[in-house]
């Protein structure tokens, strides 16, 4: 361990402060920095009970299964033609079995690509109280010095990063400073040291006008941590734009649909999404979405009515439209239109 | 419609000889744009010597030099004017709806062009060559991150990458400026960026 800590980064500003590192506790849990796992109150501890007394977490298995189902796996969308330097296609002669195996592998690869970014509450700010105060250092430097522990095999959240300010105060680095310096020493592919102006409101609106919601969200996932302020702000902005513009089709069968559905359900904005699903003949998805709503709002009228009446299928959607939907009429009409279309096709099939 | 032959990137070392129509188009275009060039005094002299020899008295020569020095600088065109120019009929007529570099031919000895284009076409704020690159020859083409349409001319529509400098023929200085402005435009979300992101790093610090 001593040998690994003897590595100096070579830059004058990046010398590690030996004594401070040894003196202070290595884990930052005492300073108010916590791993994201314990940030939300209820993690999936009640998996055994079918009905949960409190609303479940994003990572609850039941919630995740619903979100995965409504995201869907559309091979054409997941593996769409990209604007990049690609090799010419290869052609193979296959038997039926080989073709089926290749297709199953493709579906597996697609579901890997559809891994959802986590939805986490915003990280608590780092404790700003000074670690040490050395007024004798005042006036010696013209800028702050940052000391980073660059030993290998330390998780990013536990890495030691402290700042010596101009007036001699030694404090822990803020989240923004931490993200920047971790990118300097341990760069991640595609991430910039300073976030580009793309993520400001004006520039985001330009991108969203061109219907490039997925690209913007992908870049946001690359640049920011899931529990950072910017990540949550950008996702909220994009989801609101999708909601107001009713552009649900843009995110369907992408990794971001689960987050969108979660956000809308939490904020009770699911009416238009239900209508959109019914119009695209995804009645099962609509039912699942209502089920998710009942899980997240167990005290709502529709949840109690559905539980009491033991309603199934599209009846749940009708109950939701009656009791809790803001645009109940529109949802009812959509359900009726869907059912009419179904009976029409059945008659056409039978005749 | 006959298009000039364009080999793929791997054969760029061979000289690309456009069809006669393209060459004649370039000649016409150059003549059109030459009226607006403020060329360096050296080039002016060289041109005047190669054409008819005009005998001027001392007074007239002085006037000519003064006039040249007053108009010495190339006119400054703003990026907004450039954006308007790209929408105008003048632009459509000049470039026939093609990229601004499609007909440009570099002048060099032998069949293999130098693998670097010239350093710059403009020296001391005047054009210092008889065959300026596609951007320098037209003063209304301003390379700016807000002038997205012009930047699109230099990006391949299929791969999303910038064209090779040997293909477009721009001088090195303008090529570096193009790279910088395209990157800046992507940072500001101006219309285009590569949608192919091979890996997304998600810090899954949860359970």
């Amino acid at each position: 361990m001593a040998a690994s800590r003897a590595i100096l980064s070579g830059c004058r500003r990046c010398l590690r402060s030996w004594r401070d590192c040894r003196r202070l506790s290595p884990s930052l849990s005492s300073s108010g920095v916590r791993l994201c796992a314990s940030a939300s109150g209820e993690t999936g501890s009640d998996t055994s009970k079918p009905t949960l007394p409190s609303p479940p977490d994003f990572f609850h298995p039941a919630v995740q299964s619903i979100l995965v189902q409504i995201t869907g796996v559309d091979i054409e969308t997941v593996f769409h033609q990209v604007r990049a330097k690609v090799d010419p296609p290869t052609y193979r002669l296959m038997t039926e079995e080989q073709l089926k195996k290749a297709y199953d592998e493709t579906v597996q690869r697609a579901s890997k690509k559809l891994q959802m970014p986590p939805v986490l509450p915003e990280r608590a700010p780092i404790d700003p109280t000074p670690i040490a105060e050395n007024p004798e250092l005042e006036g010696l430097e013209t800028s702050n010095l940052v000391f980073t522990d660059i030993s290998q095999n330390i998780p990013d959240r536990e890495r030691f990063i402290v700042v010596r300010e101009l007036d001699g105060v030694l404090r822990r680095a803020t989240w923004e400073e931490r993200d920047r310096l971790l990118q300097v020493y341990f760069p991640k592919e595609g991430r910039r040291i300073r976030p580009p102006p793309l993520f400001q409101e004006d520039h985001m609106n330009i991108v969203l006008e061109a219907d490039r919601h997925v690209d913007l969200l992908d870049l946001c996932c690359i640049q920011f941590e899931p529990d950072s302020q910017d990540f949550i702000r950008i996702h909220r902005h994009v989801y609101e734009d999708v909601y107001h513009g009713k552009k649900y089709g843009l995110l369907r069968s992408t990794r971001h649909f689960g987050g969108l559905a979660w956000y809308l359900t939490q904020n009770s904005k699911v009416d238009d999404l239900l209508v959109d699903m019914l119009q695209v003949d995804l009645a099962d998805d609509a039912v699942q979405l209502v089920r998710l709503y009942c899980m997240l709002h167990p005290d709502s009228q529709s949840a109690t009515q559905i539980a009491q009446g033991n309603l199934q299928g599209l009846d749940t959607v009708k109950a939701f439209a009656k009791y809790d939907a803001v645009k109940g009429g529109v949802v009812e009409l959509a359900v009726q239109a869907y059912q009419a279309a179904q009976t029409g096709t059945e008659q056409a099939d039978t005749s | 419609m006959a298009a000039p032959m364009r080999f793929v990137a791997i054969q760029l070392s061979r000289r690309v000889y456009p069809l006669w129509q393209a060459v004649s188009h370039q000649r016409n275009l150059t003549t059109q744009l030459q009226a607006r060039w403020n060329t360096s005094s050296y080039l002016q002299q060289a041109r005047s010597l190669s054409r008819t020899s005009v005998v001027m008295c001392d007074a007239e020569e002085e006037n000519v030099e003064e006039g040249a020095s007053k108009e010495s600088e190339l006119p400054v065109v703003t990026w907004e004017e450039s954006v308007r120019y790209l929408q105008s009929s003048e632009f459509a007529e000049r470039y026939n709806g093609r990229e601004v570099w499609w007909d440009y031919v570099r002048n060099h000895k032998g069949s293999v062009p130098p693998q670097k284009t010239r350093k710059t076409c403009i020296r001391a704020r005047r054009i210092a060559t008889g065959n300026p690159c596609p951007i320098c020859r037209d003063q209304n083409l301003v390379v700016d991150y807000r002038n997205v349409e012009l930047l699109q001319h230099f990006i391949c529509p299929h791969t999303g990458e910038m064209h090779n400098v040997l293909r477009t023929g721009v001088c090195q200085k303008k090529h570096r400026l193009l790279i910088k402005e395209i990157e800046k435009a992507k940072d500001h979300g101006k219309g285009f960026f590569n949608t192919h992101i091979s890996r997304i790093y998600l810090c899954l610090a949860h359970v």
Side-chain angles (χ1 to χ4, degrees):
Chain A
M1 191 171 99
S4 67
R5 283 181 187 260
I7 299 165
L8 295 173
S9 72
C11 172
R12 177 176 159 267
R13 298 206 176 285
C14 309
L15 293 172
R16 290 177 296 109
S17 177
W18 278 81
R19 287 177 207 160
D20 294 311
C21 278
R22 279 194 206 159
R23 205 159 32 92
L24 299 159
S25 59
S27 80
L28 298 166
S29 55
S30 57
S31 63
V33 171
R34 278 178 278 155
L35 293 177
C36 304
S38 53
S40 62
E42 312 91 8
T43 46
S45 55
D46 303 319
T47 43
S48 56
K49 297 180 194 171
T51 52
L52 300 161
S54 55
D57 197 16
F58 180 78
F59 305 104
H60 192 275
V63 171
Q64 283 289 305
S65 71
I66 292 175
L67 292 176
V68 165
Q69 192 177 346
I70 60 178
T71 304
V73 180
D74 181 21
I75 304 284
E76 297 292 318
T77 314
V78 177
F79 295 112
H80 65 278
Q81 180 66 40
V82 295
R83 194 156 162 262
K85 207 162 186 182
V86 288
D87 298 324
T90 54
Y91 300 94
R92 281 192 213 130
L93 202 59
M94 285 184 173
T95 62
E96 284 282 344
E97 285 173 10
Q98 283 173 333
L99 182 65
K100 189 175 177 311
K101 193 178 163 195
Y103 185 79
D104 292 336
E105 274 169 23
T106 309
V107 171
Q108 273 205 329
R109 277 195 299 138
S111 50
K112 262 194 189 171
K113 282 192 100 172
L114 293 174
Q115 183 192 16
M116 276 181 250
V119 174
L120 299 164
E122 197 176 318
R123 51 196 177 186
I126 294 180
D127 187 15
T129 56
I131 301 165
E133 289 184 37
N134 300 97
E136 60 269 18
L137 297 172
E138 191 170 341
L140 292 178
E141 293 286 341
T142 49
S143 65
N144 292 354
L145 298 181
V146 184
F147 299 98
T148 315
D149 182 3
I150 55 168
S151 320
Q152 299 287 336
N153 298 329
I154 299 180
D156 284 344
R157 301 282 167 142
E158 292 172 22
R159 203 168 278 280
F160 227 71
I161 304 180
V162 294
V163 178
R164 175 76 74 181
E165 289 186 344
L166 293 169
D167 53 0
V169 163
L170 186 72
R171 60 164 175 85
R172 293 175 187 86
T174 59
W175 281 118
E176 287 76 31
E177 288 165 349
R178 285 188 70 87
D179 288 340
R180 221 166 10 133
L181 285 150
L182 287 168
Q183 184 57 19
V184 168
Y185 294 117
F186 304 98
K188 288 194 163 71
E189 191 185 326
R191 192 178 280 199
R192 315 292 267 319
I193 293 176
R194 289 183 196 275
L198 174 65
F199 296 116
Q200 291 160 15
E201 281 241 5
D202 314 327
H203 300 113
M204 273 208 286
N205 289 332
I206 297 169
V207 177
L208 295 177
E209 264 172 42
D211 282 350
R212 287 188 175 269
H213 299 66
V214 180
D215 298 330
L216 182 56
L217 287 176
D218 283 342
L219 287 171
C220 173
C221 287
I222 291 173
Q223 181 64 38
F224 299 110
E225 295 286 304
D227 53 353
S228 68
Q229 203 181 11
D230 287 310
F231 187 96
I232 293 166
R233 167 182 67 86
I234 291 161
H235 275 71
R236 191 170 293 162
H237 190 88
V238 175
Y239 293 153
E240 287 292 329
D241 188 84
V242 170
Y243 171 69
H244 288 298
K246 297 182 189 168
K247 300 173 187 171
Y248 303 104
L250 288 174
L251 292 192
R252 191 167 281 126
S253 200
T254 61
R255 53 161 50 89
H256 305 291
F257 196 80
L260 171 72
W262 173 264
Y263 172 83
L264 293 174
T265 318
Q266 279 231 307
N267 294 301
S268 306
K269 290 178 174 176
V270 289
D271 310 337
D272 290 320
L273 180 52
L274 280 173
V275 170
D276 187 74
M277 282 171 170
L278 289 166
Q279 282 171 353
V280 196
D281 292 338
L282 292 169
D284 296 333
D285 289 2
V287 171
Q288 292 294 328
L289 189 61
V290 172
R291 199 175 132 226
L292 179 67
Y293 181 89
C294 296
M295 282 168 73
L296 288 182
H297 303 270
D299 303 328
S300 61
Q301 275 204 332
S302 52
T304 44
Q305 290 293 325
I306 289 165
Q308 282 173 9
N310 205 18
L311 302 173
Q312 303 288 333
L314 283 175
D315 295 332
T316 55
V317 183
K318 286 183 190 169
F320 172 79
K322 195 170 164 193
Y323 292 109
D324 271 317
V326 176
K327 303 175 190 174
V330 182
V331 179
E332 280 243 31
L333 276 173
V335 173
Q336 283 168 12
Y338 174 78
Q339 283 177 327
Q342 286 297 94
T343 49
T345 49
E346 278 170 16
Q347 281 176 1
D349 286 339
T350 51
S351 64
Chain B
M1 182 177 141
M5 284 287 290
R6 282 283 183 256
F7 295 132
V8 291
I10 49 168
Q11 295 183 10
L12 267 177
S13 54
R14 294 293 177 86
R15 180 170 182 155
V16 175
Y17 221 123
L19 293 177
W20 189 85
Q21 294 97 315
V23 173
S24 76
H25 181 266
Q26 180 178 337
R27 287 202 195 118
N28 292 336
L29 178 57
T30 312
T31 321
Q32 266 181 49
L33 295 167
Q34 232 166 4
R36 298 194 177 200
W37 291 350
N38 285 321
T39 47
S40 61
S41 51
Y42 159 73
L43 259 188
Q44 283 174 4
Q45 283 174 20
R47 283 210 186 112
S48 61
L49 282 173
S50 66
R51 288 171 198 161
T52 55
S53 55
V54 176
V55 178
M56 284 191 290
C57 65
D58 293 336
E60 281 181 351
E61 278 181 354
E62 280 171 22
N63 283 340
V64 164
E65 280 177 15
E66 277 176 14
S69 64
K70 272 177 194 168
E71 304 167 359
S72 59
E73 276 109 43
L74 286 162
V76 175
V77 178
T78 61
W79 69 269
E80 288 130 327
E81 290 168 12
S82 187
V83 169
R84 264 179 271 136
Y85 170 69
L86 282 160
Q87 306 295 330
S88 66
S89 55
E90 195 185 347
F91 176 82
E93 206 187 309
R94 271 202 193 131
Y95 293 99
N96 282 337
R98 294 189 167 269
E99 298 99 339
V100 297
W101 48 265
W102 80 281
D103 69 332
Y104 180 73
V105 180
R106 292 169 67 195
N107 296 324
H108 59 87
K109 292 193 288 191
S111 64
V112 177
Q115 297 297 292
K116 263 192 188 177
T117 49
R118 71 165 65 88
K119 198 164 163 188
T120 173
C121 307
I122 297 174
R123 292 174 195 268
R125 308 186 81 171
R126 300 182 200 187
I127 291 189
T129 164
N131 189 26
C133 70
I135 300 178
C136 297
R137 68 182 172 183
D138 194 342
Q139 69 188 24
N140 296 311
L141 300 176
V142 174
V143 176
D144 192 274
Y145 73 97
R146 291 161 286 200
N147 193 356
V148 175
E149 222 189 291
L150 177 62
L151 299 179
Q152 294 276 26
H153 283 235
F154 293 90
I155 293 176
C156 177
H158 309 294
T159 64
E161 292 174 353
M162 231 180 106
H163 282 305
N164 194 320
V165 68
L166 295 181
R167 185 176 185 142
T168 55
V170 295
C171 56
Q172 285 179 41
K173 201 166 173 185
K174 284 287 185 288
H175 181 66
R176 283 199 297 273
L177 185 63
L178 266 173
I179 293 172
K180 183 181 138 199
E181 293 298 322
I182 288 171
E183 192 67 35
K184 210 167 157 185
K186 285 181 189 173
D187 280 350
H188 286 78
K190 297 276 177 192
F192 58 91
F193 39 87
N194 261 336
T195 58
H196 180 59
I197 297 157
S198 50
R199 277 170 289 180
I200 293 183
Y201 287 95
L202 300 175
C203 289
L204 297 171
H206 66 290
V207 173

